[in-house]
Every structure is written in structure tokens, then in C-alpha cells.
Amino acid sequence: ELNQGSAAAPSAQEGGEDEEEEEEEEGEKEKEREKLPPIPSASSAAARGLERGAKNQFSTFSNFITTINQKKEGIGNRNSPTQLVIPNIKNVRDLPPICLDVRQKQRVSIDTLPQELKAPIPPEPSLPIRTKTVKDFQDDVEKAKSSGDWKGVHDFYSTTFDSFLEINAAFKKDTDSPFNTIEDSGINGKFVNVVYDALLNTPQDVQKSVLKGIINGLLQEWKGPRTKDDLRAYCILLQNPQFSNTSTYVIYAHLLRQIAALTEADHHFLVHWSKKISQKRFKQLVDRLLQFISLRLFPAKPEEFPPMVKCTWWIPSATKVLALFNAANSLISPSIISYTDFYNSTLDHIDLMEEYHNWQCYGNSHRFSFCQYPFIISIAAKKVIIQRDSEQQMISIARQSLVDKVSRRQKPDMNMLFLNVKVRRTHLVSDSLDELARKRADLKKKLKVTFVGEAGLDMGGLTKEWFLLLIRQIFHPDYGMFTYHKDSHCHWFSSFKCDNYSEFRLVGALMGLAVYNSITLDIRFPPCCYKKLLSPPIVPCDHNTLVGICDVTLDDLFQIMPELAHGLSELLSYEGNVEEDFYSTFQVFQEEFGVIKSYNLKPNGDKIPVTNQNRKEYVQLYVDFLLNKSIYKQFAAFYYGFHSVCASYALLLLRPEEVEILVCGSPELDMSALQRSTQYEGYQKTDLTIRYFWDVVLGFSLDLQKKLLHFATGSDRVPVGGMADLNFKISKSETSTNWLPVAHTCFNQLCLPPYKNKKELKQKLIIGISNAEGFGLE
């Protein structure tokens, strides 16, 4: 469901039925309007930790606009395009507040309502007749530019934007058609684009007349639900490029507030209409909303805006409208823009843990938190939240262990504060799985690894080495737990049946430990795996509830078994007689330990032929069998293992793609970025040895570059924040140049002797990074 606010705007007396009555009553209405008190806010959605339920009155339009006008006086003249000035509108009463509908603490992205849900359709008022075409308008603009007489263009803009009815009269494809479906908004998109593209190049008074008309439309008193013409007007007004200017933000905020307060069914229409907007315009709308949020949080000129305490609803309203565009973006495959285009990096600089705790504590209240809308939080910010949440869990578990020990009057031991794993390199997998199985109660403690017979102390480097070697062995085909598909270069769960799936649980715990301890792994799972891992993101209390089951499509199968997926795709598009030519049934076969076994995709599937009519059902059932049912026990054990370590509400913030990035990091190595962010100790970046080093490294093959990264950091993967997050350091080693380089993987530090020439440096470096197993103490 779309989890949007559904507060209905209060109704009031409407205007007269025709223009003559409006002129006669105008004076009386203005007097009445002056008498109306401003409407107090409902329990305001606090934007940044403001107390819930604070009763703040919104400052009126006239106060805001007057202030801005005083600063903009004397700018420009009528006949030349100049900086925008908002018109001064007197006696404007404030608009009703929205009531935020805060999302519950469950991983439900802003989806759309079912197709059958339709809002009640009130009668559409008759529209004025407007006959101007795109060509007519373009001709008028060209004439105005050449003659300097903008009166005709001014009249068009002032009339068109004077009311929602006029907006529809100008931009509706056919004024006689209702356009009451989600498939077609009825908006002449080309005309809207042409009118808006020309607007910013018109004289100042033309732009002022548009803003004045928008204010008039927003001040209209409403009775009952909005009509589809009203929704069309909102859709058109959102695309106004004037709202990129901070001087228009007061009007923009009130527009966003009204849209955010629409009913769920109205939002349903706006979402489906928005997905028809071109990619360029869609991206502009999203960027405009993100900029609005950023500048409200961190204004370049604070005096341009009213105090935050008087407009706490600005950010919640904008975020809610942004959620509609995110929903529209997710409806299309491929999406209109990347999900990362909804990230607002400004949020990386606010108190993220306060946002997270507000969300945890007030999830069922009207207190706003960005965590209610996780699509806006960048992966780097989410990583910070997950890391700090993990650290707090580690401290809490360690403290409880200490208290338990003291309460039993036993001597505290520092080792009890950690998950200590001791393994032999020669028995790495068996020792590791035994240790994790025995110490299941300690999985949420800080991990420390010891290799038996080696003197290295684990300050992080041994842990990374352990993960790297262990993953490499577990995913080897000879081990039998996972199947490697050469066509897609990824691993998938073996469907072989066995008596004990505990090893899959321990592999899941291993992957959870990596995320929990901020270690990136070289695991090649398809995206579908991470989608299943978040199905659901919180382990259900009822153990009979199915886990790791998600909706899968042929596209998911293409990412794992492209050859099989291509064959099924050919079946769907086959133009001949499927039943006679393919002679298939709803029964599939799999080889297990050299034995061919058959499985029915549905009851009596071996007796049901695949036909042209039921082939879609066959393909869907086959894909579901391969990716869900045939590996259910394996994946369920893996799921429970992962969540036994990573159980956290922070997982609700993540998309499957983001989980993959947290687990695997990025495989893309940018050694030039590493060079720019490297720190030096004992060297200067202009020293000859350093210049030799980077000449050699930048000339390495990708394989050697990965070996260098593994040698120096313990992992060949790039963390979420990129190379800069490695904090890579090169230190001068005062040893003989006959020595090889040495690395401190705990600190991502490379100790480099001052080699005399590039050839010697390259030779010693390649030897060092190619023989990089084992630890010692200096």
C-alpha cells in the first residue's frame, strides 16, 4: 500500500457561479477573509528531533512574501527577463496543515495501490474553451522577443495559471473527455514542457503573474474529494521550473503540503501518471525536491527562509511527495532513473543515530524521521547506522556477559568480551564451523581470530584474512554446498537433499558476521539471493512462517542460469503449437548424485501438457521451483544463520542491492582514487620511491592490483565509501632494500623500503604481494 497522509482539507464557502457574481462578492469575501484566524497546526511532524505534538502556528504567505519583496525591491523592469520576484499578495490566509501518516516499523517500501482501487469521482466542472496550440504559443513568444511587446504572452500565462480550471483548459488533451484512468493523465505533456521552457526567459512581471495565479489556486476552498482535474493541475504545477529558485520555496512548500495531504487513492493516480514523464523531466523533479530538502536543512542564506520551528512540515511534505516519485520509479523495469538518484547526501551530515532512534521509539506516532523513507538515505549513511547499531549491540552483549560473571562471583576475563575463534590453517573450514557452532551465544560479540601456531595479534587484519580464506574454500565446487555457474560467474545453492542443513546456517552466520564486523567478502551471489535474504527483513516470531521466499521472475533466472532462462524465453515467444512441438508436461527433472529425479510443478503435473495457453504458468512455476522451492531448506538455514548475527531494525532500511554492496563491497578498483587519498609517513608524495611505486601500481594488471589491495588491507574488495574509506597509508621502512615490503593489514598500512630504482621496487613488490599468507610479530 501507499503509506501516505490522508487528511482531508476542511471545506469552506465557495465562490460565485459566474464572473459577475464573483465581482460583486469580491469585496465582502476579502473582508471575511481578514476576519478568519490562522489555522493552528495539528501535531506537527518534527523534522529534526523537535518535540512531538508541538503546537506551532504556520507563518502566513503574506508575511513570507512581504519579507522577500523588501529584499528584492528595485530589481528589473517589465520588458526584460530578470531575477524572479514574488508578487505581494495581501490578506492571504494560511493553508490547512497536513497530518503525516508515519510508516510502521516494517520493511514496506512505498508501493502502489491495487489496480482496482479507485477514488470516488466527483462531477467535473465544465472547463473554459481554450484553443491555443503549441505552434500558436511558440509564434507568440517569437513575436514578443522580436517586438519587445510581451502583452499577449503575459495574458496567456496570467490566464492559464489563474486557477486549476484554467490549467486544465490549457493543458488537457481533450476538455470533453474525463481521463479518469491511471493509464492516461490526459495532460498534453509537450505543451506543458514548451510553456515551462519558455517561462524562465520571459520578463519578470510574466513570471510574477504565474506565481500569483498559483497562490490563488492553492487558496481555493475545497468541498469533498479532489477531482481528476485537480490532480492534473497538481501534476502540472509540480513541474514548474520556477520552484528551483529559493525565493519561491514558500509557495512550493504549500504546494507540496497539499499534494502530501491527498488521499491514498489520489496518490495512486499521481504515481501512475508520474511514470509517464520523460526521464529528463522526471530527474529534474526529483533533483528539485532533494534540493528543497537540503536547503531547508542547511540554508546558504538562513534569512531567506522562515525559522525552522515555524515550518516543521516543509521537509515531511517534500519527502512524502518524493516517495510518490520513488513509487513511480519502482513500477517500471528498467526504472526511469537509478535508485541512487533518490539519495540525498546532505543527510550524511545530520545526526543519523538520532533519526534512527526516533524511528525506533516513535514508529507508531506522528513523529517524522527520514528512516521512514529509507530510499532517500545513501548507502554510506546506512552503513554508518548499521555499524553504530552493531557496536551498541556488541557493547550491550559484552556488558551483560561481564555482569553475569560478576554476579556468579567469578573472576572476569577479557576474552569473555569477544567472540574468540581459534583455527588451524590446515583444517580451516571444519575448525571454523565447529567454533561458530559451539559459540553461537557469542556471535554478537566483537570477533577476534587466532591462527594456531602463528604469533599475529588480531587488530582486524587476521579477521579479514580468515574471512577471505574461509569463503574461498567453502564456495569451492568440491565442497558441494554451492554450484558455480560459469555463464553468469556466480554461485547458487546446491539443490541436493541432505539430512543436516546446519552448515548452510553457519555459512549464513559467517556472512552475517562479515556485515556485523564491517568486513567485505568476495562472494558472488546473484541479486536474487539478497532479495530472498530480506524476505522478510525481520525474522518472524512464528517459526512456521516461510522465510526466504520472494517473488521471482525470468529476469532473476537470467542472472543465474542464462542459458536455461533463454530457452524458457524462447518457449514463451514460440509461434507454433507448443503442445505438439515441445511435448512437455508440468514435470521437471534434476540430477542428484548421478540419479535423475522428477518433480511435479503442480498436482498431477506429469499428466498436464504444456500448451500455448498455459505456458506462462509453466515458466513461472518452473522459475519458482528453481529459485525458491527446490532449495527452500538450504536457504532457510542460510537465512536464519545470517539473521542470528545481523538481526536489527536497520535491515529494514536496505534494498537488496544495498545488502549486496555491504556484504561484497565494490569489485571496481580505482587505483588513481587510492593514490589521491593515500597518506604518507616518512615519505612525501613527491619522493622518488613514491613516484616509482605509483608508476608500477598503475601499470599493474587488475589481478596484481587486487593482490596488492589484499596484501595491504586483508581484502581485495573496495568498501562502501570507495577507496578513500580505506585510509591507506605508506610508511617508510628503514630496513635494507634487500627486504620485501611488509604490510600491517589491521591498519591498512604498507611499509616500503626506499628502493633505489623502479625495476627493483617492482620486483620486490610483486614477490611480496604474491606470497601474502601468514602473520608474524615484529
Side-chain angles (χ1 to χ4, degrees):
E1 290 185 351
L2 275 174
N3 204 359
Q4 304 298 331
S6 56
S11 62
Q13 195 173 24
E14 293 184 334
E17 297 180 357
D18 54 54
E19 293 182 3
E20 293 182 3
E21 290 179 357
E22 287 178 358
E23 291 176 3
E24 293 172 2
E25 295 177 3
E26 187 62 25
E28 294 180 15
K29 288 178 68 177
E30 287 297 331
K31 293 178 182 179
E32 288 297 321
R33 193 172 278 179
E34 289 178 3
K35 296 177 184 179
L36 292 173
I39 300 175
S41 67
S43 42
S44 302
R48 294 194 58 210
L50 296 173
E51 285 303 313
R52 182 175 43 152
K55 306 275 185 173
N56 299 316
Q57 289 191 351
F58 303 151
S59 182
T60 60
F61 262 148
S62 55
N63 291 343
F64 297 163
I65 295 170
T66 302
T67 302
I68 295 171
N69 262 343
Q70 289 171 354
K71 296 177 184 176
K72 305 285 184 178
E73 276 184 336
I75 299 180
N77 56 64
R78 178 186 175 96
N79 291 322
S80 61
T82 56
Q83 187 176 357
L84 182 63
V85 177
I86 300 180
N88 187 13
I89 308 300
K90 296 182 179 180
N91 302 320
V92 179
R93 53 174 283 200
D94 197 43
L95 298 175
I98 64 166
C99 177
L100 277 180
D101 199 9
V102 177
R103 193 173 57 168
Q104 305 293 318
K105 285 198 291 186
Q106 51 185 327
R107 181 61 170 92
V108 180
S109 59
I110 307 297
D111 297 320
T112 55
L113 296 175
Q115 296 279 346
E116 62 271 11
L117 178 56
K118 304 293 181 184
I121 303 175
E124 301 277 0
S126 58
L127 299 178
I129 303 300
R130 299 286 179 256
T131 58
K132 190 177 290 289
T133 64
V134 173
K135 180 73 166 57
D136 294 338
F137 173 77
Q138 290 174 327
D139 290 343
D140 290 345
V141 171
E142 289 303 317
K143 289 177 184 176
K145 286 180 179 178
S146 59
S147 67
D149 182 7
W150 290 86
K151 185 178 185 308
V153 175
H154 180 280
D155 290 344
F156 169 80
Y157 276 109
S158 59
T159 301
T160 298
F161 289 93
D162 188 56
S163 69
F164 283 15
L165 284 180
E166 288 289 354
I167 290 174
N168 277 274
F171 298 119
K172 198 172 178 180
K173 292 178 186 174
D174 183 354
T175 55
D176 296 327
S177 299
F179 293 107
N180 287 326
T181 66
I182 60 173
E183 285 77 23
D184 189 357
S185 66
I187 297 172
N188 186 340
K190 182 180 179 182
F191 197 9
V192 172
N193 294 339
V194 168
V195 169
Y196 277 145
D197 288 344
L199 177 58
L200 296 183
N201 295 316
T202 60
Q204 185 189 89
D205 63 321
V206 175
Q207 300 183 47
K208 286 165 61 177
S209 69
V210 171
L211 293 171
K212 182 175 180 179
I214 293 174
I215 294 173
N216 289 336
L218 295 177
L219 286 172
Q220 179 182 347
E221 302 291 355
W222 301 98
K223 281 186 178 180
R226 303 290 202 269
T227 67
K228 295 301 169 286
D229 280 345
D230 298 332
L231 299 185
R232 264 182 285 278
Y234 282 132
C235 196
I236 292 167
L237 290 178
L238 268 178
Q239 301 177 54
N240 189 338
Q242 291 176 292
F243 293 136
S244 295
N245 192 318
T246 55
S247 63
T248 65
Y249 273 12
V250 175
I251 305 173
Y252 191 33
H254 282 78
L255 171 63
L256 296 176
R257 183 174 67 169
Q258 286 196 8
I259 295 172
L262 293 171
T263 65
E264 248 177 42
D266 287 341
H267 284 157
H268 177 62
F269 276 85
L270 289 179
V271 164
H272 281 274
W273 290 351
S274 297
K275 72 182 183 184
K276 305 290 179 65
I277 299 174
S278 70
Q279 182 187 41
K280 175 185 174 184
R281 306 281 174 177
F282 192 93
K283 181 74 163 56
Q284 288 173 347
L285 285 165
V286 170
D287 289 344
R288 193 174 297 138
L289 284 162
L290 291 172
Q291 176 185 287
F292 176 85
I293 293 169
S294 298
L295 292 179
R296 178 62 276 190
L297 283 172
F298 300 103
K301 297 178 181 179
E303 66 276 4
E304 283 189 338
F305 304 130
M308 178 69 85
V309 72
K310 291 192 175 182
C311 54
T312 57
W313 48 272
W314 278 32
I315 290 175
S317 298
T319 307
K320 244 184 174 182
V321 174
L322 193 63
L324 300 179
F325 287 105
N326 181 61
N329 194 53
S330 66
L331 285 176
I332 300 178
S333 181
S335 56
I336 306 170
I337 59 177
S338 169
Y339 70 91
T340 59
D341 288 329
F342 286 88
Y343 286 165
N344 191 329
S345 57
T346 304
L347 303 186
D348 298 355
H349 306 287
I350 66 174
D351 190 340
L352 294 169
M353 292 313 292
E354 182 182 1
E355 289 289 320
Y356 180 63
H357 291 313
N358 283 344
W359 176 58
Q360 284 187 301
C361 298
Y362 302 100
N364 297 329
S365 76
H366 292 288
R367 186 162 184 167
F368 173 79
S369 168
F370 283 111
C371 292
Q372 296 159 6
Y373 304 92
F375 61 84
I376 199 175
I377 304 174
S378 71
I379 181 61
K382 289 172 183 173
K383 182 187 177 186
V384 170
I385 292 174
I386 290 171
Q387 280 181 333
R388 293 182 184 173
D389 188 56
S390 298
E391 289 166 2
Q392 289 173 2
Q393 290 188 50
M394 288 177 184
I395 293 170
S396 176
I397 296 292
R399 183 185 292 121
Q400 187 59 48
S401 296
L402 186 61
V403 169
D404 290 345
K405 198 88 168 177
V406 172
S407 65
R408 292 195 297 267
R409 298 189 177 183
Q410 296 175 346
K411 184 179 179 181
D413 180 4
M414 285 301 295
N415 287 328
M416 62 182 286
L417 304 179
F418 299 94
L419 168 60
N420 295 288
V421 175
K422 292 184 179 181
V423 294
R424 297 167 293 176
R425 284 187 184 269
T426 53
H427 300 78
L428 189 66
V429 175
S430 58
D431 284 1
S432 298
L433 297 182
D434 288 344
E435 285 279 87
L436 294 181
R438 284 192 304 107
K439 299 176 179 178
R440 189 172 295 177
D442 295 334
L443 290 180
K444 281 184 173 284
K445 294 180 180 178
K446 178 69 175 176
L447 177 63
K448 279 201 171 185
V449 175
T450 303
F451 287 101
V452 175
E454 298 182 20
L457 296 177
D458 190 9
M459 301 295 290
L462 273 71
T463 295
K464 288 188 278 188
E465 170 87 355
W466 175 69
F467 272 116
L468 186 77
L469 298 177
L470 188 58
I471 289 296
R472 194 176 291 166
Q473 290 191 32
I474 284 178
F475 282 84
H476 195 280
D478 293 345
Y479 206 73
M481 292 178 67
F482 299 93
T483 303
Y484 182 70
H485 294 273
K486 294 181 180 179
D487 292 342
S488 57
H489 305 291
C490 70
H491 291 95
W492 192 241
F493 294 77
S494 170
S495 60
F496 296 165
K497 302 296 182 291
C498 58
D499 297 328
N500 189 349
Y501 296 96
S502 60
E503 287 191 344
F504 284 99
R505 183 183 179 100
L506 291 173
V507 173
L510 188 67
M511 198 165 93
L513 280 171
V515 174
Y516 195 65
N517 289 272
S518 302
I519 305 293
T520 54
L521 301 178
D522 186 13
I523 293 180
R524 293 180 177 86
F525 278 136
C528 172
C529 174
Y530 301 98
K531 186 162 61 171
K532 289 167 67 69
L533 207 54
L534 292 179
S535 301
I538 298 297
V539 177
C541 298
D542 183 2
H543 291 293
N544 294 321
T545 304
L546 295 178
V547 297
I549 299 292
C550 66
D551 293 333
V552 288
T553 65
L554 199 54
D555 290 337
D556 293 313
L557 188 64
F558 261 112
Q559 295 168 343
I560 306 170
M561 309 169 195
E563 189 174 342
L564 175 58
H566 179 73
L568 293 175
S569 180
E570 291 289 319
L571 172 66
L572 290 175
S573 59
Y574 187 67
E575 295 181 357
N577 189 310
V578 170
E579 182 177 0
E580 293 180 0
D581 296 347
F582 285 84
Y583 201 69
S584 297
T585 64
F586 277 71
Q587 184 181 54
V588 294
F589 302 90
Q590 280 193 336
E591 181 182 346
E592 296 181 12
F593 301 109
V595 178
I596 303 296
K597 292 191 175 183
S598 62
Y599 297 92
N600 286 342
L601 297 179
K602 59 193 297 187
N604 299 316
D606 56 323
K607 298 179 177 62
I608 303 174
V610 178
T611 66
N612 292 64
Q613 290 71 38
N614 64 17
R615 57 184 171 181
K616 285 186 179 179
E617 180 190 12
Y618 169 78
V619 169
Q620 182 56 44
L621 289 174
Y622 195 8
V623 172
D624 184 63
F625 171 78
L626 290 172
L627 304 187
N628 282 326
K629 292 179 180 176
S630 67
I631 59 161
Y632 177 74
K633 290 183 177 179
Q634 295 90 322
F635 197 90
F638 178 79
Y639 171 94
Y640 282 116
F642 178 82
H643 287 275
S644 68
V645 184
C646 279
S648 169
Y649 282 121
L651 288 179
L652 294 171
L653 305 176
L654 298 174
R655 295 171 56 97
E657 301 93 329
E658 293 170 331
V659 177
E660 181 178 10
I661 293 172
L662 285 177
V663 171
C664 303
S666 171
E668 302 298 326
L669 300 188
D670 185 352
M671 302 309 283
S672 297
L674 183 64
Q675 180 183 8
R676 290 191 296 270
S677 62
T678 297
Q679 303 170 32
Y680 300 97
E681 189 176 85
Y683 282 118
Q684 300 291 330
K685 64 180 179 180
T686 54
D687 288 348
L688 203 55
T689 303
I690 297 301
R691 284 158 52 193
Y692 289 157
F693 174 81
W694 288 115
D695 284 348
V696 168
V697 170
L698 293 175
F700 273 167
S701 65
L702 179 61
D703 183 56
L704 282 175
Q705 288 179 346
K706 285 189 173 185
K707 285 184 176 181
L708 171 65
L709 203 61
H710 170 224
F711 176 74
T713 70
S715 172
D716 62 359
R717 312 291 286 188
V718 182
V720 171
M723 288 293 198
D725 271 14
L726 284 175
N727 295 318
F728 183 59
K729 179 187 286 187
I730 299 178
S731 299
K732 188 172 186 178
S733 175
E734 299 298 344
T735 58
S736 166
T737 54
N738 293 326
W739 283 52
L740 297 174
V742 174
H744 300 291
T745 55
C746 305
F747 310 107
N748 298 338
Q749 183 177 7
L750 178 68
C751 298
L752 195 66
Y755 297 113
K756 296 175 183 177
N757 56 61
K758 187 189 296 186
K759 181 180 178 182
E760 183 183 15
L761 185 148
K762 181 176 182 178
Q763 181 187 24
K764 294 289 199 308
L765 187 60
I766 290 176
I767 294 173
I769 65 178
S770 300
N771 299 272
E773 281 191 11
F775 289 85
L777 286 176
E778 292 184 346

